[in-house]
Amino acid sequence: MASKIRYVSKRNGVYQYIRRVPNSVVNKPVRFEAFFKSQAVFRRSLRTKEQLAAYEAAKIAHEEFELLLAQALGRPSPTRTEPKVALKKVTQADLDTIAEQAKESVIKPVRQSYLRADADPLAAAELERLYHEIEVEAEEIKAASQPGSRSAVFGETMKEHAEWVVKHHHFNAPPGSDEFGLIIAALRSGRAQGYAHVDKLRDGNITPTIPTPASIAKAATGPTLREVVERYKKFKGFGKKPASEIDLSLNIFESVVGNKSLAALTKSDFHRYVEHLADSTVGGKTAGSIKRAVSAQTVKKRLGILCTAINFAISRDWFDRSNPAAGINIDAFVKKPDKAIMPDKRPFKISELNALLKHPWFTGCKSASETHLPGSHRLNGAEFWVPIVALFSGCRASELGGLRVAEVHLDDKHPHFAIRANIYRRIKNSEARDVPILDVLVKLGFKEYYERIKKTGADRLFPDWEKGAGDSSGWGNSKLVRAINRTVIPTALKATLAPGARTEVTFHNFRSAFKTMLVSSEKSLHPNIINEVVGHAKGEMDSRYVGKVPIEVTYEAVKDCTYKGLTLPPTPVTSTD
C-alpha cells in the first residue's frame, strides 16, 4: 500500500501527507494564492499513529491535492465530482460522539502500549516514547485547550480538525456558526478528558480498564439508524401511508436522541424516546376533537416500528448485539387515560342505531346540497348506502371505498363481496376474503342500487365517494367518513354521548356492531365462521388446520342474520336519483 500512495511521513509520531507544490503553479501567483494559499508545501494531518489507517486516510488527502493541482493548472479534474449530500443538523448525540472519539484517539495508543509494556519490551519503549511526546507537546496541548486558540497539536489546530469533522460527516455547520463552535468545544473537551486520563494512568491513580461497550459504541462506525430504516423501507416496498408512519417515528426519535449509529444506540436512548412520546399530546385542533395524551397503543406502534427495523439489521448481520429497542415496558411510561375524556370505543347500541337511521341521510333531506336538514329529498348514493353496507357487512372503510363493481357477486348462488387487493386499496394482512351479502341488504334495495351503478359503467361500487389523502387509509380520511364522524353521528346521538369527551362511536364501530350482532345471534355461530366473515384472525390451531372457511359455508350460516330490534329506514326511490 505504501508503494501506491507516496508523500506519507511521520511528525511526532502522527502520520501526515506532505507534498510540495510544483513550480508550474508557484510561478502563477494568482492561481497559487487561489488554490494553495501561497503555501509551497501542501500538508494534511492524517490524525493517526497507525500505519494502515494512515494510508487509508492518505488516499483522501492525495485526491484533494490532485484536484487542487488540476484546477490550478486548468486541467480536467482527475477525480469524479462527488454527488451532493444533504447536510445534517448537529445534534447533542453527534457532539457526544465527537467528544468520545476525540478522547479515545488520545487514550487508545497509550492504553495499548500500557497493557503490553510488562510483557513486551517494544511496547514498553513505545509507551515511553508516547509519554515523552506528550510532555514535549505539553505547552501546545495546554494552549490548544483554550477557546480561540490557533495552537496546533501534532500538526493540526482545533479549527482544522473541526473542518474535517464537518466535511466528513456532512454537518450543516459552516465556520463561524454556533454549530461549528460546538464541534470545536466537543473536540476540545474530548481531548482534554483524554490527556487527563493518560496522566492518571501514568501516575497510577486509576486502574487501566478495557473500554466499556458503551464507550466503544460511541466511537464506533457503521450504519446509522436512519440508514437502516431507509434500507428496510426500500426492501419492504411500503406504500405511502406506512412509509410516512415510519418516517414520523424516526423523525421524532432523532429530535430526541439524534441520528446515532446502531452501535451507539443504548436502551436509555429508547427510554428517552418512549418518555417523550408519552408526554406528548394529540387532538384539539378541530371542532369536536379532544386534546389528549398519546395512547399506549400509539407509543407501542412508534417504538415497534424502530424495533422492527433494527431486527432487520440484525438479520442482515449489520448489527451483532441485542436489540436496544426491545423489551421496554410501555406501561411504565404511559399513564392510563382519563375515562371521562377518553371513554373506550364500543359497538353501537340498538337504540343508537335506530336514532342514527332517522338522520336525513336515511329518511329524507331538504335538498341534494342541504343533506343534514330534514325534507322530502331522498339520497340514493354513498351517503345512504356506505353506512348501510358497513352496518350489514362489517367491512372496513378502505374495503368499501375500493370495492369494484366486478367484486360484487349478487347473481352468485351465494351472493357476496369479494374483498381483494386492487388498484384502489390494499387489504389488511394481505388476506382476501368473501363477505356474504345478507338478505336484509337485498330487502333494502341494494340490488337495484347495484344494477343502476353497473349500467353507468362505473368501476367502483360507490363512484361518488371520493378518497381523502393517504394510501388505503385515504378512504377513512375522506370527506364522507369525516361527515359521518363529525356531523351525522354527533347530531343523531347528542342525547347519549358525553359532552367534552372523545366520541365513543365512529364509522369504524359499524364493524364492531356487525361482529357483535353475529356473536349474539340465536344461531350460535361458530367463532371460525364469524372471524372469516369479519376478517379477524382465527386461533393458531384453527388457522393451521381449518384454514379458510368457504363462502358456501359462511353464506348459509349468516345470510338471514340481522339486528334484533332495529328499525330499517325506508328504501330509496330509484326514480328520484
Side-chain angles (χ1 to χ4, degrees):
M1 187 178 296
S3 63
K4 294 180 181 179
I5 301 181
R6 299 174 292 167
Y7 316 114
V8 175
S9 61
K10 269 188 176 182
R11 180 175 182 269
N12 295 327
V14 177
Y15 283 97
Q16 296 194 356
Y17 180 92
I18 303 175
R19 188 163 175 189
R20 182 166 294 280
V21 180
N23 289 335
S24 55
V25 176
V26 174
N27 293 333
K28 298 175 181 177
V30 175
R31 289 180 175 271
F32 187 34
E33 167 62 27
F35 294 100
F36 291 97
K37 299 180 181 179
S38 298
Q39 299 293 320
V41 177
F42 177 86
R43 187 191 306 271
R44 291 289 183 269
S45 172
L46 302 180
R47 288 179 297 278
T48 183
K49 297 180 180 182
E50 299 179 359
Q51 189 180 57
L52 291 177
Y55 285 128
E56 286 299 315
K59 292 179 182 178
I60 299 174
H62 184 76
E63 289 180 359
E64 181 185 358
F65 179 88
E66 291 293 336
L67 178 60
L68 290 172
L69 181 61
Q71 292 173 329
L73 295 175
R75 297 173 181 170
S77 173
T79 58
R80 296 180 304 174
T81 301
E82 294 185 4
K84 290 185 178 180
V85 178
L87 298 181
K88 297 186 293 187
K89 178 182 177 182
V90 180
T91 67
Q92 185 59 50
D94 295 322
L95 296 174
D96 292 344
T97 300
I98 291 168
E100 189 66 30
Q101 289 174 335
K103 175 183 175 181
E104 182 64 15
S105 69
V106 173
I107 297 172
K108 184 178 179 180
V110 177
R111 181 197 300 115
Q112 290 175 335
S113 298
Y114 187 98
L115 295 176
R116 300 170 186 168
D118 290 327
D120 184 353
L122 292 178
E126 175 64 11
L127 180 63
E128 195 63 33
R129 188 193 66 78
L130 289 171
Y131 283 153
H132 175 72
E133 191 174 87
I134 291 174
E135 289 177 359
V136 170
E137 297 282 346
E139 290 302 318
E140 286 78 3
I141 292 171
K142 183 177 180 181
S145 66
Q146 301 302 314
S149 171
R150 295 185 179 180
S151 296
V153 178
F154 301 136
E156 184 180 54
T157 65
M158 288 288 186
K159 181 175 180 294
E160 289 171 337
H161 193 170
E163 288 173 342
W164 181 88
V165 168
V166 169
K167 181 178 180 181
H168 183 73
H169 293 285
H170 306 292
F171 286 134
N172 185 12
S177 66
D178 289 348
E179 290 78 7
F180 189 79
L182 287 169
I183 290 173
I184 290 180
L187 290 169
R188 184 184 299 119
S189 173
R191 285 184 177 180
Q193 293 176 50
Y195 288 120
H197 185 94
V198 168
D199 286 340
K200 291 179 181 179
L201 187 67
R202 178 177 55 186
D203 296 338
N205 293 329
I206 60 173
T207 302
T209 58
I210 297 174
T212 64
S215 66
I216 292 174
K218 287 182 179 179
T221 58
T224 63
L225 179 59
R226 175 166 288 278
E227 290 170 338
V228 166
V229 168
E230 292 299 331
R231 293 181 194 178
Y232 173 64
K233 284 167 50 183
K234 183 177 181 181
F235 176 78
K236 290 291 187 179
F238 290 113
K240 185 177 179 180
K241 175 62 177 178
S244 66
E245 286 290 337
I246 293 171
D247 290 340
L248 177 59
S249 300
L250 179 61
N251 290 338
I252 296 174
F253 181 86
E254 289 184 346
S255 72
V256 177
V257 177
N259 182 25
K260 288 187 174 184
S261 68
L262 283 192
L265 291 172
T266 64
K267 183 76 75 174
S268 62
D269 289 332
F270 288 95
H271 284 163
R272 288 168 56 199
Y273 176 56
V274 170
E275 189 171 25
H276 173 82
L277 291 172
D279 290 339
S280 303
T281 58
V282 294
K285 297 180 181 179
T286 58
S289 177
I290 305 299
K291 185 176 181 180
R292 56 199 185 274
V294 171
S295 68
Q297 291 84 353
T298 298
V299 175
K300 186 176 181 180
K301 178 180 71 174
R302 303 236 170 273
L303 177 65
I305 285 172
L306 301 185
C307 185
T308 302
I310 296 174
N311 282 336
F312 174 74
I314 293 172
S315 68
R316 291 296 188 91
D317 290 331
W318 300 338
F319 187 50
D320 59 0
R321 293 192 291 114
S322 59
N323 192 331
I328 295 178
N329 181 11
I330 301 298
D331 293 337
F333 295 87
V334 181
K335 296 179 181 178
K336 292 184 177 181
D338 183 351
K339 295 299 183 182
I341 299 176
M342 294 292 292
D344 293 331
K345 292 288 185 179
R346 57 172 176 78
F348 285 98
K349 301 173 184 176
I350 293 298
S351 59
E352 291 173 328
L353 290 176
N354 281 329
L356 188 62
L357 294 178
K358 292 178 182 179
H359 186 274
W361 277 19
F362 307 102
T363 58
C365 57
K366 187 174 181 180
S367 68
S369 60
E370 297 176 291
T371 61
H372 296 285
L373 298 177
S376 59
H377 180 80
R378 293 300 308 280
L379 298 176
N380 197 5
E383 293 99 335
F384 180 91
W385 284 108
V386 168
I388 291 295
V389 174
L391 182 61
F392 288 102
S393 70
C395 287
R396 302 174 177 91
S398 61
E399 293 171 343
L400 294 180
L403 189 62
R404 305 178 72 170
V405 172
E407 294 170 336
V408 180
H409 300 283
L410 264 172
D411 296 329
D412 191 89
K413 183 179 179 181
H414 305 96
H416 63 278
F417 300 115
I419 305 300
R420 306 286 187 272
N422 61 33
I423 60 174
Y424 300 111
R425 49 96 167 102
R426 300 182 180 186
I427 55 175
K428 194 166 184 179
N429 301 324
S430 299
E431 292 185 4
R433 74 183 193 281
D434 295 325
V435 178
I437 297 177
L438 304 190
D439 293 344
V440 64
L441 267 180
V442 177
K443 180 181 178 181
L444 268 172
F446 176 73
K447 185 172 183 179
E448 288 74 17
Y449 170 78
Y450 162 75
E451 294 292 350
R452 177 168 60 85
I453 297 300
K454 186 177 180 180
K455 287 179 181 179
T456 67
D459 191 30
R460 289 189 300 112
L461 180 64
F462 304 110
D464 54 337
W465 182 2
E466 296 180 358
K467 186 179 181 182
D471 197 6
S472 289
S473 63
W475 299 109
N477 293 331
S478 64
K479 182 179 178 181
L480 174 69
V481 175
R482 289 200 305 270
I484 293 171
N485 291 339
R486 299 178 184 180
T487 305
V488 176
I489 292 176
T491 299
L493 306 186
K494 59 184 178 182
T496 61
L497 298 179
R502 181 185 68 171
T503 305
E504 301 167 53
V505 284
T506 62
F507 180 91
H508 190 73
N509 295 102
F510 288 129
R511 177 171 167 78
S512 54
F514 178 75
K515 184 170 184 179
T516 300
M517 183 266 288
L518 295 182
V519 170
S520 58
S521 170
E522 295 177 354
K523 301 178 72 172
S524 300
L525 298 172
H526 192 283
N528 283 345
I529 291 177
I530 296 173
N531 289 329
E532 181 70 42
V533 172
V534 177
H536 282 167
K538 306 179 187 69
E540 183 177 353
M541 292 297 290
D542 287 338
S543 62
R544 182 180 302 175
Y545 295 108
V546 175
K548 183 178 180 64
V549 182
I551 185 63
E552 294 84 356
V553 175
T554 57
Y555 176 77
E556 294 298 335
V558 305
K559 65 177 182 177
D560 54 353
C561 288
T562 191
Y563 296 84
K564 188 176 181 179
L566 183 69
T567 301
L568 297 175
T571 299
V573 181
T574 304
S575 60
T576 62
D577 295 342

